[in-house]
Amino acid sequence: MRETDRGVTEDRVLGGRVRLRQPAKGYRAGLDAALVAAACDAGPSERVIEPGCGVGAVLLAAAIRRPGARFLGLERDETVAALGQGNVTANGLEGRVAVEAGEVASFRVGAPFDAALCNPPFFDDPGQLRAPHPAKAGAWMADDGLAAWTGFLVKAVREGGTITLIHRADRLAELLGLLRPKAGAIQIRPIHPFADAPASRVLVRVVKTGKAPLQLLPALVLHERGGAKHTREAEAILRGEADLAWR
């Protein structure tokens, strides 16, 4: 990480292949974004949308991993969206990736997408946690609730298309309750901080109108106690040397 303009840093992610300018304070892209990008399995020429894309961390890493796919990010904060589009240009991905300023609640999808990626806000109720830094509030708090995000994702993709998102493990039941009546086949991959600790996150992949039974896939363990910062599997994923496969 290095300081660039006042209040903005430039980081290198995905093993140095992605340049990412983001605010020095407030919400900063991290591990969750890297995992969502690694879980993207969009095929050549497929169109992918990411609501709440921030500065484009997921979009850019997914685009590098999936060179044949095209990506659109939607971000309600115009300043952050401008940073995101600048990151697209800085990484030479203008032909396949774009960031637009807009709200999930009012964005008109038009032609449905082949896939959607999402790292939605983890909280609906401000009483659930200390008030976040003002610059983090939009990323942490879902003004319209999780139902608004899942509803948008289901509407945004075509029949047979996929939705891939990450969320808190303790909200999995709520998430499934919102998705299953509308979406179809669901796969779940638990994310554990340590092998002997409960899952803190879940990656969920939905095939819209799919008929396969729900699948609980092998977990990803992020850290080893007393060992390296990340497990070998997690490090390979973060560096872009491995994907989070769904098959």
Side-chain angles (χ1 to χ4, degrees):
M1 179 182 75
R2 69 181 181 88
E3 191 82 18
T4 56
D5 301 335
R6 185 177 179 181
V8 176
T9 65
E10 182 173 296
D11 304 274
R12 293 276 180 166
V13 299
L14 202 68
R17 285 184 283 171
V18 173
R19 297 169 56 191
L20 191 70
R21 285 168 53 90
Q22 57 184 332
K25 295 182 179 179
Y27 180 79
R28 292 173 59 81
L31 188 59
D32 291 339
L35 295 177
V36 174
C40 176
D41 60 351
S45 77
E46 289 193 332
R47 297 168 59 246
V48 184
I49 187 169
E50 186 201 0
C53 70
V55 297
V58 173
L59 290 175
L60 296 168
I64 295 295
R65 288 175 174 275
R66 298 288 169 178
R70 294 174 289 160
F71 296 82
L72 172 65
L74 184 65
E75 171 54 47
R76 71 176 184 176
D77 185 316
E78 293 185 2
T79 301
V80 174
L83 265 179
Q85 187 57 45
N87 284 331
V88 171
T89 301
N91 287 277
L93 292 170
E94 307 98 304
R96 293 195 298 116
V97 184
V99 175
E100 294 184 6
E103 296 270 1
V104 167
S106 58
F107 181 75
R108 293 185 178 276
V109 173
F113 288 78
D114 300 292
L117 305 175
C118 195
N119 180 9
F122 285 169
F123 299 92
D124 299 344
D125 180 3
Q128 291 181 295
L129 77 170
R130 291 183 306 167
H133 185 285
K136 293 183 179 180
W140 285 11
M141 295 290 179
D143 293 342
D144 299 318
L146 186 57
W149 288 80
T150 55
F152 176 88
L153 293 168
V154 172
K155 290 178 182 177
V157 300
R158 60 172 173 80
E159 293 190 4
T162 61
I163 299 165
T164 304
L165 58 84
I166 194 167
H167 216 284
R168 290 164 35 203
D170 62 358
R171 296 194 73 181
L172 177 59
E174 179 184 1
L175 189 61
L176 293 180
L178 291 168
L179 287 171
R180 290 204 77 179
K182 304 174 183 178
I186 297 177
Q187 295 170 291
I188 303 165
R189 189 179 299 280
I191 310 297
H192 294 252
F194 298 96
D196 58 355
S200 57
R201 299 283 189 270
V202 284
L203 274 165
V204 178
R205 180 179 182 269
V206 177
V207 178
K208 184 174 176 179
T209 67
K211 302 300 183 182
L214 185 148
Q215 288 185 321
L216 184 62
L217 300 178
L220 172 66
V221 178
L222 299 176
H223 310 289
E224 294 178 356
R225 297 193 186 277
K229 183 177 181 181
H230 297 110
T231 62
R232 288 185 179 180
E233 183 181 9
E235 184 66 23
I237 289 167
L238 294 176
R239 294 184 62 83
E241 297 165 357
D243 296 328
L244 272 167
W246 296 102
R247 298 176 180 84

